[in-house]
Amino acid sequence: MKHIFIGILTAILLLSPFKGFSETLTPKRITEWSRTAAQGDAGAQFNLGLLHAKGQGVPKNYAEAFKWFHLAALQGNAQAQLCLGAMYHDGLGVPKNYAEALKWVRLAAQQGNVQAQLYLGAMYANGLGVPQSYSEALKWFHLAALQWNAQAQFNLGLLLAKGQGVPQSYPEAFKWVRLAANQGLADAQFNLGAMYANGQGTPQNDAEAFKWFHLAANQGLAGAQCNLGAMYANGQGTPQNYAEAFKWVRLAALQGNAQAQLYLGAMYVNGQGTPQNYAEAFKWVRLAALQGNTQAQFYLGAMYANDLGVQKNYAEALKWVRLAALQEISKCTESTRTLMRTLIEKGIQKPEHP
């Protein structure tokens, strides 16, 4: 297997601010909050909103949650303002309204609420309720990152790596991604591994890449599992071990990772870490091809043409090779062209019928 250190920095996501209560909730405590909330206590109003939003101690009721968040938000409770904005964003208990979401999240962010700063940055990055602005996203992510929010640190690194809202800087991106990775954020660990593997913002280092991929893989991140398997297969940063490679690639493939499905198919073809099994190889290569993986589409065509794990079918072979070529016509390899010519020469431009 070749390098697969794509290291795709993940999209900026809006994370739910509705965190449940970890403490034991007694009927007496809920009754007390209800009494003080009715008297105008903002903290109690927020707590009641959260109970209704999460369905803790009371039936889940987004309309009730919205009501109590709104009352607390009007009194300046930053957490309530954030949650109110999130309800407008998601259309929970109120019609979806990105402009209102932005308004309330901004109020919370301006009070220094770190979750709101992260959320506001994501809204600017995604152009929700406001024209897309990476520079504004960068500003709010930076404020949250300085408060040691791991997701904000990672998002900041993402923008720096892509040069969005700021001149591209891999060293600065590496700095922030590493801070997030050290806090245990799986996406950051995966991308830090990719930066070490590719020498982006830091000297290339397979051992460090292996370390960070392994940490992210243990958290169940499919991309990291796939890359970890490739490192075991190639003996990069660790002694070569096909059994371990197969284990990790299979875990990623079972999660639907197309690159891992392709590599799992290759391992079945070559008998690496598992007994050779063309039927299994065909199954996994086909799954990757159906997801649009161009390499898998080409290999699937080759398997149909060569009677590997499936009955020979030149029509299907040509279909998949053409799909691969059409996706990356500028990168169409000589092997692809040769196989296509061979298939066309066999006179099967039209599908065969039984």
Side-chain angles (χ1 to χ4, degrees):
M1 287 188 285
K2 302 292 185 181
H3 276 292
I4 55 170
F5 307 127
I6 302 168
I8 299 173
L9 289 156
T10 58
I12 292 168
L13 304 176
L14 292 168
L15 305 178
S16 173
F18 304 134
K19 305 296 183 184
F21 293 97
S22 57
E23 64 209 74
T24 302
L25 293 172
T26 63
K28 181 179 179 181
R29 174 166 290 185
I30 294 173
T31 300
E32 177 62 18
W33 281 344
S34 298
R35 183 183 66 80
T36 54
Q39 294 174 356
D41 182 272
Q45 290 169 344
F46 167 71
N47 287 343
L48 280 186
L50 200 56
L51 290 180
H52 284 291
K54 297 294 291 183
Q56 284 188 286
V58 296
K60 182 179 284 190
N61 187 323
Y62 287 127
E64 276 295 300
F66 178 85
K67 177 184 93 173
W68 290 111
F69 284 147
H70 192 255
L71 288 170
L74 288 171
Q75 294 195 65
N77 183 291
Q79 195 66 24
Q81 290 170 339
L82 168 61
C83 290
L84 187 65
M87 297 195 80
Y88 272 117
H89 176 272
D90 295 334
L92 300 175
V94 65
K96 186 176 289 191
N97 188 322
Y98 289 137
E100 281 293 305
L102 184 81
K103 164 188 162 183
W104 289 105
V105 172
R106 187 196 303 277
L107 287 171
Q110 288 171 341
Q111 291 196 63
N113 183 286
V114 65
Q115 288 179 292
Q117 290 171 342
L118 171 64
Y119 206 98
L120 185 59
M123 293 191 76
Y124 272 112
N126 293 305
L128 298 174
V130 65
Q132 187 180 58
S133 172
Y134 288 122
S135 59
E136 278 294 306
L138 187 87
K139 164 188 164 183
W140 291 105
F141 287 148
H142 190 249
L143 287 171
L146 291 174
Q147 293 197 60
W148 221 247
N149 182 282
Q151 187 66 48
Q153 290 171 340
F154 173 64
N155 287 357
L156 185 59
L158 165 60
L159 294 181
L160 285 159
K162 291 187 172 181
Q164 293 175 321
V166 65
Q168 187 182 59
S169 172
Y170 283 124
E172 276 296 301
F174 177 83
K175 164 189 161 184
W176 290 105
V177 171
R178 182 171 59 179
L179 286 172
N182 280 326
Q183 291 199 63
L185 189 69
D187 284 333
Q189 292 171 339
F190 168 53
N191 283 280
L192 186 62
M195 296 185 87
Y196 272 116
N198 295 318
Q200 294 172 318
T202 184
Q204 200 276 340
N205 188 319
D206 283 339
E208 281 293 308
F210 177 85
K211 164 188 165 183
W212 290 104
F213 286 146
H214 202 281
L215 287 169
N218 278 330
Q219 293 198 59
L221 200 66
Q225 292 170 340
C226 184
N227 283 6
L228 185 64
M231 297 198 81
Y232 271 118
N234 295 322
Q236 292 173 281
T238 185
Q240 188 176 62
N241 187 324
Y242 285 126
E244 280 294 302
F246 179 82
K247 163 189 161 184
W248 288 105
V249 169
R250 184 173 180 275
L251 286 172
L254 287 169
Q255 290 197 63
N257 183 286
Q259 193 71 28
Q261 290 170 341
L262 169 62
Y263 277 113
L264 187 60
M267 296 190 82
Y268 273 116
V269 166
N270 297 316
Q272 294 171 322
T274 184
Q276 189 177 61
N277 188 322
Y278 290 132
E280 279 294 303
F282 174 81
K283 164 188 162 183
W284 289 104
V285 171
R286 183 175 180 275
L287 286 172
L290 288 170
Q291 291 198 61
N293 184 290
T294 54
Q295 283 181 292
Q297 289 171 342
F298 172 73
Y299 291 136
L300 185 62
M303 294 184 84
Y304 270 115
N306 293 290
D307 196 20
L308 291 177
V310 64
Q311 187 174 357
K312 186 176 290 185
N313 187 323
Y314 288 126
E316 281 293 305
L318 184 59
K319 165 189 159 183
W320 287 106
V321 173
R322 276 178 168 165
L323 280 174
L326 286 172
Q327 280 202 69
E328 295 193 38
I329 192 69
S330 63
K331 300 178 183 177
C332 189
T333 63
E334 185 55 37
S335 59
T336 305
R337 295 190 186 95
T338 300
L339 181 55
M340 285 185 69
R341 282 195 298 268
T342 301
L343 293 169
I344 291 169
E345 286 168 2
K346 292 180 181 291
I348 45 77
Q349 291 92 333
K350 295 181 180 181
E352 296 175 340
H353 298 283

